[in-house]
Amino acid sequence: MRLRVAVIGGGAAGLCALRHLSARPDRFEPVGMEQQAGVGGTWRYTDLVGTYPDGTPVQSSMYKNLRTNLPKEVMAFPGFPFPEELPSFMHHTDVQNYLERYCSHYGLERYLLFNTKVQQVTPLRRDSKTEWNVTYCTNGKQHCEIFDAVMVCNGHYEVPLIPNIEGQDVFQGQIIHSHDYRSPEAFSGKRVACLGAAPSGQDISLEIATCAQQVILSHNKPRLPTVLPENVNQKTGIKQLTHNTVVFNNGDEEPVDVIMLCTGYRYSFPFLSAECAVTIEEERVTPLYKHIIHSRLQTLSFIGICKIICPFPLFDNQVRFVLATLDGSCPLPPAADMEADIERDFRQRLAEGLPARHAHTMGSRQWAYNDMLASMGNFQSIPRAIQNLYDEVHRIRVLDLPNYKNRRYKITGEEGFQEL
Ligand code: FAD
């Protein structure tokens, strides 16, 4: 039987889902829905922040000068490399071009509805089977269609996570989230505190430092062991704001003009009806077996929920795992067993000292996770060379933040890589 599969989103995850679904026309009939006019998702850069002239929110969190924080050698989808002539750490436009070529190479346009926003997804119980009623709006016209399965690929870098900071109402300066950051010139001569030292905080603080008078990289992680430009200092997290200063957790106080919140994003699935029974608590999305499949509605899956990963290869693995569950080659355990597995994974993270909001953080866990999906789904996992180079870049980045992107690499075999 052919399954009709709705794919929500035409970013990297949605394109990957369409690629694998469309390769099996005997089993799957995919329909991709993308609210924007083209593919690429967060890589579709715009100078605009806030909303487009027609009032729709700007989805992209890219900034003008962004170069990738991973080398192209590990970023690529399996079997579809980036062009050889590009540097390892590419400009964001190179990634957008790559995704457009991926789309046309696999002929995915014909499965995609653009300017199409999914408004509601509702499960329909028919006999022992669950079907999905998907309501979407294309160019102002509403449609309803029934699908056998839904793959949610809507990304999670659009809705800013804004912390509640004491004194933010009295602070006279500017408070901006990195979602709305585009270029450093706006901060010429200013004193800026960047809150958060994940990849965005690290990258944006250095960019702003090229124009700003002073930048404080404020975070509660161990001090980054890197040399930083003279006008960048590391300080602890922010405790409080006064009308023109920041008070840090260690009691230090500094005058600042701008707070740049590099504090991450929230998961958001506004189109899932209450009957989908998906909950988000402290940035933990439940009940997702292996961070992907709804334990009680198994034809509802989510690609790309995991954080701190090598995104495109991991999406590819997750998609292939979902297809193996849909075509029956990877039977799923009973719901109760899946829920016990979800809980075990979460408890293990807490036991290792991670806060609940890191329920989907992978980091070094991602390699065993990828291998497990591949073994369950009976396909080949990500080559060790990708892991080895990814780990090397993570090691080098914190030692040499200002310069690590100048390096060039080459994959030399199943396990190896070489710095050129
Ligand atoms: P997205 O790219 O966000 O795509 C989701 C798509 O779903 C969007 O096109 C959106 O319009 C659509 N959508 C959402 N809701 C609906 C709806 N209701 N109806 C229809 N369509 C909908 N990764 C790397 O590998 N290397 C990097 O260097 C790197 N740098 C990054 C820098 C920044 C600033 C950010 C924000 C991310 C970076 N990433 C990087 C991670 C990046 O998010 C992933 O690489 C990947 O692009 C995520 O793809 P996605 O498809 O999951 O989400």
Side-chain angles (χ1 to χ4, degrees):
M1 193 186 87
R2 273 180 107 210
L3 298 181
R4 292 200 81 217
V5 184
V7 175
I8 303 175
L15 290 175
C16 180
L18 290 173
R19 180 230 150 145
H20 288 288
L21 288 163
S22 64
R24 312 247 326 256
D26 53 322
R27 298 306 303 258
F28 302 112
E29 187 190 328
V31 179
M33 296 155 197
E34 169 52 57
Q35 65 189 355
Q36 303 196 67
V39 300
T42 200
W43 296 97
R44 285 177 74 80
Y45 175 77
T46 169
D47 283 330
L48 295 175
V49 294
T51 52
Y52 289 104
D54 68 359
T56 57
V58 169
Q59 196 255 342
S60 179
S61 299
M62 283 296 131
Y63 34 96
K64 199 171 179 175
N65 304 323
L66 181 136
R67 280 167 69 199
T68 58
N69 54 39
L70 292 176
K72 68 174 190 197
E73 291 76 18
V74 307
M75 266 186 71
F77 284 115
F80 196 77
F82 282 88
E84 204 152 317
E85 65 274 13
L86 291 176
S88 285
F89 296 88
M90 307 161 283
H91 189 247
H92 62 77
T93 47
D94 294 321
V95 184
Q96 174 62 18
N97 291 339
Y98 170 86
L99 291 174
E100 287 173 6
R101 277 192 302 105
Y102 182 84
C103 179
S104 58
H105 178 81
Y106 293 107
L108 307 179
E109 299 91 343
R110 82 183 91 134
Y111 304 103
L112 272 157
L113 303 170
F114 291 111
N115 301 308
T116 296
K117 184 170 179 133
V118 173
Q119 294 172 316
Q120 191 156 55
V121 173
T122 307
L124 300 170
R125 300 262 183 204
R126 290 218 180 129
D127 304 323
S128 60
K129 192 171 168 251
T130 301
E131 291 181 335
W132 296 93
N133 192 354
V134 176
T135 308
Y136 59 88
C137 184
T138 303
N139 297 321
K141 203 166 163 229
Q142 203 174 59
H143 305 263
C144 255
E145 278 191 56
I146 303 293
F147 290 90
D148 299 298
V150 174
M151 295 177 77
V152 177
C153 306
N154 69 327
H156 51 84
Y157 291 108
E158 184 181 353
V159 183
L161 205 160
I162 313 265
N164 231 334
I165 305 175
E166 191 186 331
Q168 65 191 30
D169 45 339
V170 296
F171 181 65
Q172 303 283 297
Q174 244 183 319
I175 303 181
I176 310 170
H177 189 275
S178 58
H179 179 58
D180 293 332
Y181 170 75
R182 290 293 179 269
S183 57
E185 295 80 16
F187 305 95
S188 288
K190 297 200 170 159
R191 297 162 300 184
V192 182
C194 287
L195 178 59
S200 291
Q202 294 174 1
D203 208 44
I204 291 174
S205 55
L206 288 188
E207 242 196 65
I208 290 180
T210 59
C211 294
Q213 182 193 121
Q214 190 205 355
V215 174
I216 299 168
L217 179 55
S218 159
H219 63 94
N220 287 323
K221 295 182 176 179
R223 230 182 138 68
L224 302 175
T226 178
V227 173
L228 290 170
E230 268 188 349
N231 61 342
V232 182
N233 292 311
Q234 298 187 62
K235 286 200 178 283
T236 55
I238 295 178
K239 181 176 171 210
Q240 191 188 341
L241 303 178
T242 71
H243 77 286
N244 66 347
T245 67
V246 173
V247 181
F248 295 93
N249 284 335
N250 68 351
D252 287 358
E253 186 166 355
E254 295 278 351
V256 299
D257 306 300
V258 181
I259 314 281
M260 177 66 66
L261 299 172
C262 301
T263 42
Y265 294 84
R266 288 187 185 288
Y267 293 107
S268 172
F269 311 104
F271 44 82
L272 294 184
S273 66
E275 292 92 322
C276 294
V278 170
T279 59
I280 307 171
E281 214 177 298
E282 288 191 70
E283 295 314 295
R284 181 184 179 213
V285 187
T286 51
L288 299 189
Y289 179 59
K290 306 297 180 200
H291 309 271
I292 307 173
I293 291 179
H294 195 300
S295 59
R296 272 162 279 144
L297 297 164
Q298 289 124 21
T299 45
L300 177 63
S301 57
F302 297 73
I303 304 300
I305 292 281
C306 298
K307 296 177 179 171
I308 317 288
I309 51 166
C310 195
F312 299 1
L314 184 136
F315 295 170
D316 196 81
N317 256 14
Q318 290 188 326
V319 165
R320 287 192 289 168
F321 175 70
V322 170
L323 266 55
T325 68
L326 290 178
D327 73 13
S329 60
C330 173
L332 288 165
D337 292 1
M338 287 197 266
E339 279 157 23
D341 185 87
I342 295 169
E343 208 46 33
R344 214 168 22 247
D345 182 85
F346 182 55
R347 296 283 149 213
Q348 198 171 331
R349 283 157 196 271
L350 298 184
E352 286 168 19
L354 285 178
R357 67 173 192 281
H358 286 296
H360 304 294
T361 299
M362 285 293 168
S364 58
R365 293 175 183 80
Q366 68 185 302
W367 313 112
Y369 171 79
N370 281 318
D371 290 349
M372 173 192 60
L373 294 182
S375 145
M376 290 174 77
N378 197 23
F379 52 84
Q380 221 178 2
S381 190
I382 298 170
R384 270 309 150 243
I386 305 287
Q387 170 181 353
N388 293 339
L389 178 50
Y390 178 97
D391 290 347
E392 169 67 3
V393 169
H394 270 68
R395 191 184 68 80
I396 292 286
R397 181 186 298 150
V398 290
L399 295 176
D400 190 14
L401 205 47
N403 303 308
Y404 79 96
K405 291 186 183 180
N406 298 332
R407 290 176 160 77
R408 288 185 81 113
Y409 297 100
K410 184 179 169 192
I411 298 281
T412 53
E414 265 300 296
E415 307 239 335
F417 66 88
Q418 193 186 327
E419 189 180 335
L420 301 176

